[in-house]
Amino acid sequence: EDKVVQSPLSLVVHEGDTVTLNCSYEVTNFRSLLWYKQEKKAPTFLFMLTSSGIEKKSGRLSSILDKKELFSILNITATQTGDSAVYLCAPEKGTSYDKVIFGPGTSLSVIP
Amino acid sequence: DADVTQTPRNRITKTGKRIMLECSQTKGHDRMYWYRQDPGLGLRLIYYSFDVKDINKGEISDGYSVSRQAQAKFSLSLESAIPNQTALYFCATSDGTSGRIIEQFFGPGTRLTVL
């Protein structure tokens, strides 16, 4: 059975702190891993990672995938209150019908 | 205007009622999805459709049905609503022309409460 575990489930930090969000997965026919950010409403896409060791960066956010150990991390440096959101990890299955399996999410609160 | 729209945005109904949630998209994507989100459980796939004639069950399809009326429209029905179907429902689309999911675009969500 496919499984996605994210940790921590919730986190409160102060502005300027650096955070690391974790995602481990057991997914058959794994193809890639996606990260989404969900603020008060719909999730929005952050990254897609397909190869191990490749670090994706977008401003203060970066992410790494380890396909051997089956995990990914999302780092946010110099956090801001606008980073407060739920961060969803979503491995993609490459079967005859591609689909993603969403983890439960990590709720991040950044306080001034 | 939003690329993926959902109606209604909020709905309160009673046990046993039939409910339809509608989704429309202007992105021109061929793939559409319905998810529900419950606290602590993330997004769970109800149904997905890769084109108008291709509809597939997701992991939690019991109690739900769908209709893909056109490439741009995908409706979710609860034939006889029950309280444990109270949740936030999202419609999403993706471009399948590359053969990969790559990225899904989500609608604003419908908050459904079944009393």
Side-chain angles (χ1 to χ4, degrees):
Chain A
E1 182 181 332
D2 299 320
K3 191 165 74 169
V4 184
V5 177
Q6 292 189 246
S7 64
L9 292 181
S10 66
L11 187 59
V12 180
V13 300
H14 287 94
E15 271 191 314
D17 287 350
T18 293
V19 298
T20 298
L21 310 182
N22 304 292
C23 173
S24 63
Y25 61 89
E26 294 176 24
V27 172
T28 55
N29 300 305
F30 174 85
R31 291 180 73 168
S32 69
L33 188 136
L34 298 90
W35 282 96
Y36 284 83
K37 177 182 181 183
Q38 184 176 20
E39 294 174 88
K40 296 249 182 243
K41 33 191 168 180
T44 54
F45 175 78
L46 290 175
F47 294 119
M48 184 181 74
L49 304 110
T50 55
S51 302
S52 284
I54 302 297
E55 184 175 3
K56 289 272 193 173
K57 289 188 177 182
S58 176
R60 297 176 293 102
L61 275 66
S62 63
S63 183
I64 296 176
L65 175 66
D66 187 324
K67 290 170 70 174
K68 182 179 178 185
E69 300 297 329
L70 307 183
F71 76 86
S72 176
I73 60 172
L74 176 68
N75 282 316
I76 308 175
T77 59
T79 51
Q80 302 170 356
T81 55
D83 294 326
S84 295
V86 174
Y87 291 85
L88 300 167
C89 166
E92 177 193 4
K93 290 171 68 81
T95 61
S96 55
Y97 289 108
D98 300 333
K99 53 185 175 182
V100 295
I101 300 168
F102 285 88
T106 293
S107 176
L108 173 66
S109 296
V110 182
I111 55 178
Chain B
D1 288 341
D3 295 317
V4 184
T5 57
Q6 292 183 233
T7 57
R9 294 293 309 279
N10 289 283
R11 182 71 184 269
I12 300 174
T13 190
K14 294 182 178 179
T15 297
K17 293 291 187 182
R18 184 177 188 274
I19 297 296
M20 180 181 285
L21 308 183
E22 299 188 354
C23 176
S24 294
Q25 53 116 345
T26 58
K27 300 191 74 66
H29 289 168
D30 52 342
R31 297 181 174 187
M32 298 187 74
Y33 311 81
W34 275 105
Y35 292 92
R36 67 176 277 176
Q37 187 173 38
D38 300 276
L41 293 178
L43 287 156
R44 292 183 291 166
L45 184 63
I46 306 172
Y47 271 94
Y48 58 105
S49 170
F50 281 6
D51 67 41
V52 174
K53 296 181 181 179
D54 180 61
I55 292 178
N56 305 281
K57 293 182 177 181
E59 57 186 302
I60 54 163
S61 59
D62 287 349
Y64 301 95
S65 62
V66 291
S67 173
R68 186 85 182 263
Q69 301 94 323
Q71 188 188 38
K73 295 184 181 297
F74 193 36
S75 300
L76 175 72
S77 293
L78 287 67
E79 298 301 326
S80 179
I82 56 177
N84 78 359
Q85 291 177 313
T86 293
L88 184 58
Y89 290 84
F90 285 105
C91 173
T93 73
S94 68
D95 178 4
T97 56
S98 68
R100 301 291 303 278
I101 289 179
I102 309 297
E103 176 182 357
Q104 293 182 35
F105 295 84
F106 286 82
T110 294
R111 186 166 294 282
L112 177 66
T113 302
V114 184
L115 302 177

XYZ file of all heavy atoms in Angstrom, chain A residues 31-32 34 36 38 41-43 45 48 50 88 92-93 96-104, chain B residues 31 35 37 40-43 45 48 50 54 56 88 90 99-104 106-108:
384
model
N 7.705 8.037 -9.854
C 8.254 8.770 -10.996
C 8.851 10.113 -10.576
O 9.883 10.522 -11.061
C 7.174 9.011 -12.051
C 6.737 7.764 -12.745
C 5.700 8.017 -13.770
N 6.251 8.668 -14.962
C 5.578 8.794 -16.100
N 4.350 8.346 -16.178
N 6.106 9.384 -17.134
N 8.139 10.812 -9.694
C 8.638 12.126 -9.285
C 7.970 12.497 -7.978
O 7.072 11.795 -7.501
C 8.336 13.180 -10.350
O 6.943 13.426 -10.419
N 6.322 15.932 -5.946
C 5.897 17.319 -6.052
C 5.669 17.903 -4.665
O 5.245 17.197 -3.745
C 4.602 17.423 -6.862
C 4.660 16.938 -8.321
C 4.319 15.461 -8.421
C 3.709 17.747 -9.195
N 3.620 21.141 -2.801
C 2.604 22.175 -2.952
C 2.535 22.993 -1.661
O 2.793 22.491 -0.568
C 1.214 21.563 -3.191
C 0.990 21.035 -4.582
C 1.428 19.762 -4.940
C 0.328 21.793 -5.531
C 1.220 19.266 -6.208
C 0.105 21.309 -6.815
C 0.551 20.040 -7.138
O 0.336 19.553 -8.404
N -0.238 25.238 0.508
C -1.667 25.524 0.632
C -1.871 26.577 1.705
O -1.673 26.303 2.891
C -2.450 24.250 0.950
C -3.951 24.469 0.987
C -4.738 23.197 1.212
O -4.203 22.205 1.695
N -6.014 23.214 0.866
N -6.653 28.518 0.988
C -7.525 27.872 0.005
C -6.823 26.782 -0.790
O -6.381 25.794 -0.249
C -8.150 28.906 -0.910
C -7.292 30.124 -1.203
C -8.094 31.196 -1.901
C -7.333 32.507 -1.933
N -8.091 33.568 -2.612
N -6.746 26.973 -2.104
C -6.291 25.886 -2.967
C -4.775 25.703 -2.907
O -4.024 26.659 -2.796
C -6.719 26.161 -4.401
N -4.311 24.455 -3.008
C -2.861 24.224 -3.095
C -2.283 24.834 -4.368
O -2.927 24.834 -5.420
C -2.761 22.691 -3.149
C -4.042 22.181 -2.604
C -5.070 23.202 -2.990
N 1.400 24.896 -6.728
C 2.580 24.107 -7.022
C 3.860 24.859 -6.652
O 3.996 26.059 -6.917
C 2.567 23.789 -8.520
C 3.777 23.084 -9.041
C 3.937 21.726 -8.831
C 4.748 23.765 -9.747
C 5.043 21.059 -9.325
C 5.857 23.105 -10.248
C 6.004 21.754 -10.042
N 8.812 20.268 -8.606
C 8.771 18.860 -8.953
C 10.208 18.366 -9.009
O 11.071 19.003 -9.629
C 8.115 18.612 -10.310
C 7.989 17.126 -10.605
S 7.261 16.756 -12.197
C 8.603 17.154 -13.292
N 12.674 14.963 -9.847
C 12.665 13.652 -10.474
C 13.941 12.863 -10.207
O 13.932 11.642 -10.292
C 12.494 13.782 -12.001
O 13.523 14.639 -12.498
C 11.142 14.380 -12.338
N 2.406 20.484 1.337
C 2.003 19.135 0.962
C 3.065 18.484 0.085
O 3.530 19.075 -0.892
C 0.679 19.175 0.187
C -0.526 19.765 0.924
C -1.668 20.032 -0.056
C -0.994 18.830 2.021
N 4.484 11.082 -7.228
C 3.739 10.741 -8.436
C 3.973 9.276 -8.779
O 5.115 8.814 -8.784
C 4.207 11.610 -9.607
C 3.533 11.282 -10.933
C 4.223 11.921 -12.125
O 5.268 12.566 -11.937
O 3.722 11.754 -13.253
N 2.896 8.568 -9.052
C 2.973 7.177 -9.494
C 2.913 7.130 -11.001
O 2.049 7.758 -11.610
C 1.792 6.368 -8.941
C 1.810 6.106 -7.471
C 0.491 5.502 -7.033
C 0.288 4.092 -7.589
N 1.003 3.073 -6.804
N -0.359 3.032 -15.545
C -1.064 3.316 -16.788
C -1.874 4.601 -16.649
O -2.147 5.289 -17.621
C -1.982 2.152 -17.156
O -2.855 1.853 -16.087
N -2.254 4.914 -15.422
C -2.908 6.188 -15.151
C -2.077 6.928 -14.126
O -2.068 6.577 -12.962
C -4.320 5.974 -14.610
C -5.275 5.456 -15.653
C -5.728 4.149 -15.608
C -5.728 6.273 -16.671
C -6.609 3.676 -16.557
C -6.607 5.807 -17.629
C -7.047 4.515 -17.564
O -7.917 4.043 -18.498
N -1.343 7.932 -14.567
C -0.510 8.699 -13.639
C -1.357 9.356 -12.571
O -2.422 9.883 -12.870
C 0.241 9.800 -14.395
C 1.136 9.231 -15.465
O 1.584 8.080 -15.312
O 1.375 9.925 -16.456
N -0.880 9.334 -11.361
C -1.577 10.080 -10.322
C -0.607 10.388 -9.202
O 0.464 9.804 -9.105
C -2.778 9.312 -9.791
C -2.500 7.912 -9.313
C -3.813 7.242 -8.934
C -3.619 5.794 -8.572
N -4.901 5.131 -8.260
N -0.986 11.332 -8.375
C -0.170 11.687 -7.221
C -0.890 11.270 -5.950
O -2.110 11.170 -5.924
C 0.153 13.194 -7.180
C 1.005 13.598 -8.347
C -1.107 14.020 -7.094
N -0.086 11.016 -4.933
C -0.627 10.669 -3.624
C -0.160 11.739 -2.662
O 1.044 11.912 -2.465
C -0.123 9.293 -3.171
C -0.565 8.241 -4.186
C -0.653 8.951 -1.794
C 0.115 6.926 -4.003
N -1.101 12.444 -2.074
C -0.753 13.555 -1.201
C -0.511 13.085 0.228
O -1.247 12.256 0.765
C -1.868 14.602 -1.206
C -1.912 15.428 -2.461
C -2.644 15.001 -3.556
C -1.208 16.621 -2.554
C -2.680 15.756 -4.718
C -1.248 17.382 -3.707
C -1.989 16.945 -4.796
N 0.526 13.645 0.840
C 0.743 13.431 2.260
C -0.207 14.287 3.072
O -0.919 15.129 2.525
N -0.203 14.120 4.400
C -1.130 14.869 5.262
C -0.785 16.343 5.388
O -1.617 17.138 5.815
C -1.008 14.161 6.605
C 0.351 13.558 6.588
C 0.606 13.173 5.163
N -7.105 16.646 -18.415
C -7.249 15.825 -17.215
C -7.917 16.627 -16.099
O -7.545 17.775 -15.843
C -5.882 15.327 -16.746
C -5.215 14.423 -17.768
C -3.881 13.927 -17.285
N -3.331 12.935 -18.226
C -2.248 12.219 -18.009
N -1.575 12.362 -16.872
N -1.821 11.355 -18.908
N -10.929 15.772 -5.473
C -10.329 15.372 -4.206
C -11.231 15.831 -3.060
O -11.957 16.797 -3.178
C -8.978 16.057 -3.995
C -7.869 15.647 -4.925
C -7.624 16.336 -6.105
C -7.016 14.591 -4.597
C -6.576 15.975 -6.940
C -5.967 14.230 -5.429
C -5.764 14.928 -6.599
O -4.720 14.581 -7.422
N -10.615 16.842 1.143
C -9.578 17.106 2.128
C -10.214 17.105 3.508
O -11.181 17.829 3.756
C -8.884 18.441 1.862
C -7.683 18.673 2.766
C -6.907 19.917 2.375
O -7.468 20.932 1.996
N -5.577 19.836 2.462
N -5.784 16.408 8.803
C -4.862 15.334 9.140
C -4.760 14.222 8.118
O -3.933 13.320 8.271
N -5.582 14.284 7.074
C -5.578 13.201 6.082
C -5.095 13.651 4.716
O -5.025 12.866 3.782
C -6.974 12.598 5.947
C -7.489 11.848 7.171
C -8.898 11.332 6.922
C -6.564 10.688 7.532
N -4.816 14.907 4.566
C -4.359 15.378 3.266
C -5.462 15.328 2.226
O -6.652 15.248 2.534
N -5.063 15.345 0.978
C -5.992 15.296 -0.141
C -6.137 13.852 -0.594
O -5.144 13.185 -0.866
C -5.458 16.140 -1.303
C -5.525 17.646 -1.123
C -4.495 18.337 -1.986
C -6.912 18.152 -1.437
N -7.985 11.248 -3.421
C -8.555 11.260 -4.746
C -9.872 10.491 -4.788
O -9.928 9.329 -4.388
C -7.548 10.653 -5.738
C -7.915 10.663 -7.213
C -8.049 12.090 -7.728
C -6.846 9.909 -8.006
N -11.061 10.571 -11.180
C -10.293 11.345 -12.123
C -10.696 10.974 -13.546
O -11.179 9.864 -13.794
C -8.785 11.200 -11.902
C -8.243 9.793 -11.971
C -7.517 9.365 -13.084
C -8.404 8.894 -10.912
C -6.987 8.087 -13.138
C -7.878 7.615 -10.969
C -7.169 7.217 -12.080
O -6.649 5.953 -12.137
N -9.302 11.438 -17.642
C -8.215 11.846 -18.519
C -8.711 12.366 -19.864
O -7.944 12.924 -20.633
C -7.211 10.720 -18.703
C -6.256 10.574 -17.549
C -6.398 11.320 -16.393
C -5.202 9.685 -17.616
C -5.525 11.193 -15.333
C -4.314 9.542 -16.556
C -4.463 10.296 -15.416
N -13.140 8.991 -20.548
C -12.275 8.198 -19.673
C -12.439 8.666 -18.236
O -11.964 9.746 -17.871
C -10.817 8.356 -20.115
C -9.892 7.557 -19.228
O -10.039 6.326 -19.178
O -9.016 8.172 -18.589
N -12.272 7.355 -14.093
C -11.709 6.304 -13.246
C -11.930 6.592 -11.773
O -11.909 7.748 -11.353
C -10.197 6.200 -13.493
C -9.881 5.997 -14.944
O -9.985 4.901 -15.462
N -9.521 7.074 -15.625
N -13.846 19.388 2.735
C -13.525 20.397 1.726
C -13.213 19.650 0.431
O -12.365 18.753 0.425
C -12.316 21.216 2.196
C -11.852 22.380 1.340
C -12.957 23.393 1.131
C -10.643 23.046 2.013
N -12.036 19.624 -3.557
C -11.281 20.355 -4.563
C -11.379 19.667 -5.908
O -11.279 18.444 -6.016
C -9.793 20.437 -4.193
C -9.476 21.396 -3.100
C -9.181 20.946 -1.827
C -9.448 22.761 -3.345
C -8.877 21.834 -0.809
C -9.142 23.663 -2.331
C -8.860 23.196 -1.067
N 2.244 13.456 -21.098
C 2.219 12.118 -20.526
C 2.576 12.101 -19.058
O 2.613 11.063 -18.429
N 2.826 13.260 -18.481
C 3.188 13.343 -17.077
C 2.209 14.263 -16.357
O 1.573 15.092 -16.980
C 4.599 13.932 -16.927
C 5.681 13.151 -17.607
C 5.899 11.824 -16.913
N 6.220 11.987 -15.511
C 7.438 12.273 -15.067
N 8.434 12.448 -15.899
N 7.644 12.374 -13.772
N 2.131 14.094 -15.043
C 1.255 14.978 -14.277
C 1.869 16.370 -14.177
O 1.203 17.363 -14.371
C 0.976 14.393 -12.892
C 0.063 13.189 -13.029
C 0.359 15.431 -11.977
C -0.264 12.512 -11.737
N 3.131 16.411 -13.870
C 3.886 17.666 -13.736
C 3.297 18.586 -12.678
O 3.886 18.854 -11.664
C 3.998 18.443 -15.068
C 4.503 17.510 -16.169
C 4.917 19.639 -14.897
C 5.875 16.957 -15.933
N 2.117 19.071 -12.911
C 1.541 20.047 -11.992
C 0.025 20.008 -12.125
O -0.492 19.905 -13.230
C 2.033 21.443 -12.361
C 1.431 22.570 -11.530
C 1.922 23.934 -11.979
O 2.764 24.002 -12.899
O 1.451 24.929 -11.413
N -0.641 20.058 -11.010
C -2.098 20.166 -11.021
C -2.499 21.560 -10.578
O -1.875 22.155 -9.707
C -2.723 19.129 -10.083
C -2.526 17.702 -10.572
C -3.187 16.685 -9.677
O -4.245 16.931 -9.112
N -2.574 15.524 -9.564
N -5.531 23.753 -8.984
C -6.689 23.504 -8.142
C -7.696 24.642 -8.191
O -7.323 25.819 -8.298
C -6.242 23.300 -6.686
C -5.578 21.980 -6.444
C -4.239 21.789 -6.750
C -6.295 20.911 -5.927
C -3.622 20.564 -6.543
C -5.690 19.686 -5.711
C -4.360 19.512 -6.019
N -8.965 24.269 -8.068
C -10.015 25.243 -7.871
C -10.011 25.742 -6.442
O -9.243 25.260 -5.605
N -10.879 26.688 -6.117
C -10.883 27.309 -4.791
C -11.476 26.431 -3.693
O -11.346 26.746 -2.514
C -11.734 28.558 -4.991
C -12.632 28.212 -6.129
C -11.842 27.314 -7.024
